[in-house]
Amino acid sequence: MSSDAEANSLAQGAQLLQQKILAAVQKLDLPSAGASKKELQDGIKQNLDAIAFDKHNQSGIVEARATLELKRGSERLFQLDIIWDADNPTSGSEQRAHYGYEAYRDGNRVAGPGHVFFKKDVILPHYRIKGIGLREELSMKLEKSGTMGTGLMKFEAHYYKLDK
C-alpha cells in the first residue's frame, strides 16, 4: 500500500488520512501485553481521530500529535507517536495541498512521511507556514485498560494552531 493517496474533498482527505495511518500502524510489530493484535489495533483505532482533521483544520488546527503508550506494570512496552498536519504548496511549487503524516516508535520513524493530496485547485483553510511556530490549542488524555491483555494503554492528543 502506497504511503500517498488522492482526495476530492477535505472530508474524504480526513477519512483517507485515518485509513493510511491505521494501515501503516497495522504493519508494525508492536508488543501487546497479552492482548491480540486485533485488540491492540482496535484500541489504537478507537483513540485516533485523524478522521476528524478536516473539521479541526477548519477551526485553525494545522498539526496534531497523538501519543499511544502501552505499559505492563512499570515496564513501557512501546510508545507510538503519530503526527499529522496540513500543508499548502508554496508559490511556484509543483506540490499540491495535502494532509501529511508520520509515525515514530520509541523515537524512531517507522511510517511515513505519507500524504493525502488534494486536487490542484484545493487550498486548505489553515496550514503550516515556514518560519511561524505552533502553539498548543487543545490536548486530551485517555486511558483504556482491561482490554489490552495485562497492560494499560494511555493515549494523549495535542492539537496546534499557528502562533501568530
Side-chain angles (χ1 to χ4, degrees), residues 39-92:
E39 287 174 308
L40 185 60
Q41 294 294 329
D42 286 348
I44 293 170
K45 184 178 180 179
Q46 283 177 349
N47 289 310
L48 188 68
D49 70 341
I51 197 163
F53 194 53
D54 58 321
K55 293 172 185 65
H56 294 157
N57 185 240
Q58 290 171 19
S59 73
I61 301 296
V62 297
E63 184 173 298
R65 300 175 192 173
T67 299
L68 299 119
E69 181 181 68
L70 185 61
K71 283 183 143 182
R72 181 174 39 224
S74 62
E75 177 190 12
R76 185 176 87 181
L77 299 176
F78 72 84
Q79 179 175 312
L80 187 64
D81 296 299
I82 303 169
I83 301 166
W84 58 97
D85 54 51
D87 288 319
N88 273 332
T90 56
S91 63

Side-chain angles (χ1 to χ4, degrees), residues 4 17 35 58 74 78 83 93-94 105-107 111 114 120 125 151:
D4 293 336
L17 179 66
Q58 290 171 19
S74 62
F78 72 84
I83 301 166
S93 172
E94 290 297 313
R105 178 179 171 190
D106 300 322
K120 194 81 169 156

Side-chain angles (χ1 to χ4, degrees), residues 52-153:
F53 194 53
D54 58 321
K55 293 172 185 65
H56 294 157
N57 185 240
Q58 290 171 19
S59 73
I61 301 296
V62 297
E63 184 173 298
R65 300 175 192 173
T67 299
L68 299 119
E69 181 181 68
L70 185 61
K71 283 183 143 182
R72 181 174 39 224
S74 62
E75 177 190 12
R76 185 176 87 181
L77 299 176
F78 72 84
Q79 179 175 312
L80 187 64
D81 296 299
I82 303 169
I83 301 166
W84 58 97
D85 54 51
D87 288 319
N88 273 332
T90 56
S91 63
S93 172
E94 290 297 313
Q95 199 172 46
R96 292 174 283 152
H98 62 274
Y99 294 152
Y101 68 92
E102 294 181 355
Y104 296 83
R105 178 179 171 190
D106 300 322
N108 298 307
R109 186 165 59 194
V110 292
H115 306 88
V116 176
F117 289 103
F118 296 98
K119 289 183 175 183
K120 194 81 169 156
D121 59 342
V122 172
I123 301 294
L124 299 173
H126 301 277
Y127 50 91
R128 298 182 310 167
I129 298 173
K130 187 175 183 172
I132 297 181
L134 303 176
R135 66 175 162 77
E136 187 170 342
E137 180 68 15
L138 175 70
S139 67
M140 65 178 178
K141 294 181 183 185
L142 302 172
E143 289 188 12
K144 180 183 175 121
S145 60
T147 59
M148 294 299 128
T150 59
L152 173 69
M153 179 178 278

